[in-house]
Amino acid sequence: MIAVVALIVGLVLGLLVQPEIPLWIQPYLPIALIAALDAVVGAGRAALEKRFSDRIFVISFLSNTSLAAFMVFIGDQLGIGSQLSTGVLIVLAMRIFVNASAIRRLVLRA
């Protein structure tokens, strides 16, 4: 419940303050966002399977977002940023869909 309240407060603050994102970080933000979404959907699945750990969630959230952004940064430095971004997005999207289908099976028993 605390996470939901924190999410709502963060969204409201973001809409009211409208922070300006520096240009140098903008290419990495979408990848980090998808990685964070992967961690959240994985946490939802773990919660439904009664094996959720807040410690593992925080570590997964931080490491997934950092690693995904770092991989895109390295790709940019090597001149293959868009290809590496596409690869990272595909892998993360696959993980999100696998976890979402597991959640669907757990909730709907189908």
Side-chain angles (χ1 to χ4, degrees):
M1 188 62 176
I2 293 172
V4 173
V5 172
L7 175 66
I8 292 170
V9 168
L11 286 172
V12 169
L13 282 175
L15 290 172
L16 292 177
V17 176
Q18 294 184 355
E20 191 170 315
I21 299 169
L23 287 175
W24 65 270
I25 202 168
Q26 288 180 2
Y28 313 113
L29 198 56
I31 301 295
L33 182 66
I34 297 298
L37 183 61
D38 172 48
V40 169
V41 174
R45 176 182 180 179
L48 287 172
E49 292 175 345
K50 307 280 193 258
R51 56 183 183 90
F52 176 78
S53 166
D54 56 347
R55 182 173 178 230
I56 292 173
F57 169 69
V58 170
I59 291 170
S60 172
F61 185 88
L62 294 175
S63 64
N64 279 3
T65 55
S66 301
L67 184 61
F70 181 70
M71 287 176 67
V72 174
F73 171 75
I74 293 296
D76 283 345
Q77 299 304 308
L78 295 172
I80 56 168
S82 62
Q83 293 92 344
L84 196 56
S85 294
T86 302
V88 169
L89 282 174
I90 289 171
V91 169
L92 291 172
M94 286 175 31
R95 289 173 41 104
I96 290 169
F97 281 115
V98 165
N99 283 329
S101 66
I103 289 170
R104 184 195 69 240
R105 283 192 302 273
L106 289 167
V107 170
L108 300 177
R109 307 277 189 249

